[in-house]
Amino acid sequence: MALLTVEGINVYYGAIHAIKDVSFSVEEGEIVTLIGANGAGKTTTLQTISGLLHSRTGSITFQGKNISNVHPHLLVAHGLAQVPEGRRIFLQMSVEENLEMGAYSVKMSKADMDRHLEEQYEIFPRLKERAKQKAGSMSGGEQQMLAIARGLMSDPELLMLDEPSLGLAPVIVDDMFDVIVRVNKV
């Protein structure tokens, strides 16, 4: 059984048919990429899977359960997390506070929270150096690291990244994709 199955979803913005009959599946341990031009529906597809938008038809199954009409915060608690395009970190909060917000929908003891924080600091050592710094004062690459680490704080079974390389220097993009591969193996 696939970890995620998307079957024949159709999403509209008013009268505009944004995505038409999209179907695919993701197996456990796979890295899957949605590729397309700007406006092709990649973000709309991810937002529909995440429960932020709703399809008029079709179904979305995660871990064998239909999640087509499940609220986003409940999906995070069940192991599905999305890192949105544009990072959307909390600029006035510290790095550590942003990371803690990533675990907000998941019931976690203080010991588990500390363990998850340390795991993110191992993956992204730069974030540990900046733990008390306001997130808005960091570079774009550091903010992207924070956004991904925040997504990982809920210990998801499936992490969806929307445009993880947007606005990053080529050398940072290479580092970011190395991290994605490394996290996938954990």
Side-chain angles (χ1 to χ4, degrees):
M1 169 179 32
L3 181 62
L4 174 73
T5 303
V6 175
E7 292 183 11
I9 62 172
N10 287 273
V11 178
Y12 292 77
Y13 291 111
I16 298 169
H17 198 171
I19 57 173
K20 182 177 182 179
D21 295 325
V22 170
S23 298
F24 64 92
S25 64
V26 177
E27 299 294 329
E28 191 168 324
E30 267 190 319
I31 296 176
V32 175
T33 307
L34 297 179
I35 299 173
N38 288 342
K42 302 178 298 292
T43 296
T44 298
T45 299
L46 293 182
Q47 289 179 338
T48 305
I49 295 166
S50 295
L52 298 169
L53 297 173
H54 297 286
S55 178
R56 287 190 188 172
T57 62
S59 65
I60 303 168
T61 306
F62 178 64
Q63 296 180 318
K65 297 176 185 152
N66 188 321
I67 61 166
S68 300
N69 293 306
V70 176
H71 294 286
H73 69 283
L74 296 175
L75 292 176
V76 172
H78 290 322
L80 180 70
Q82 179 181 352
V83 176
E85 178 181 358
R87 303 174 194 111
R88 296 199 187 149
I89 59 172
F90 300 101
L91 300 174
Q92 296 304 315
M93 294 172 76
S94 72
V95 167
E96 192 162 295
E97 289 167 335
N98 267 273
L99 291 174
E100 290 169 347
M101 289 303 293
Y104 181 79
S105 292
V106 181
K107 302 245 185 284
M108 192 178 295
S109 69
K110 171 81 168 104
D112 284 341
M113 177 67 77
D114 291 344
R115 184 176 53 79
H116 277 78
L117 285 169
E118 283 308 311
E119 287 172 0
Q120 299 319 307
Y121 293 148
E122 270 183 44
I123 296 167
F124 302 102
R126 187 78 161 163
L127 296 181
K128 186 169 189 169
E129 296 170 13
R130 302 194 183 278
K132 302 302 178 195
Q133 182 175 331
K134 285 193 188 263
S137 67
M138 297 191 314
S139 73
E142 290 167 337
Q143 288 182 12
Q144 188 63 40
M145 288 178 208
L146 177 57
I148 292 171
R150 184 183 61 195
L152 290 169
M153 282 296 292
S154 66
D155 200 20
E157 292 295 317
L158 179 64
L159 179 66
M160 299 185 301
L161 307 173
D162 192 357
E163 299 280 0
S165 62
L166 184 68
L168 300 180
V171 69
I172 302 296
V173 171
D174 289 344
D175 291 345
M176 196 62 61
F177 286 112
D178 288 345
V179 166
I180 291 168
V181 170
R182 191 170 79 223
V183 166
N184 185 55
K185 290 180 181 178
V186 174

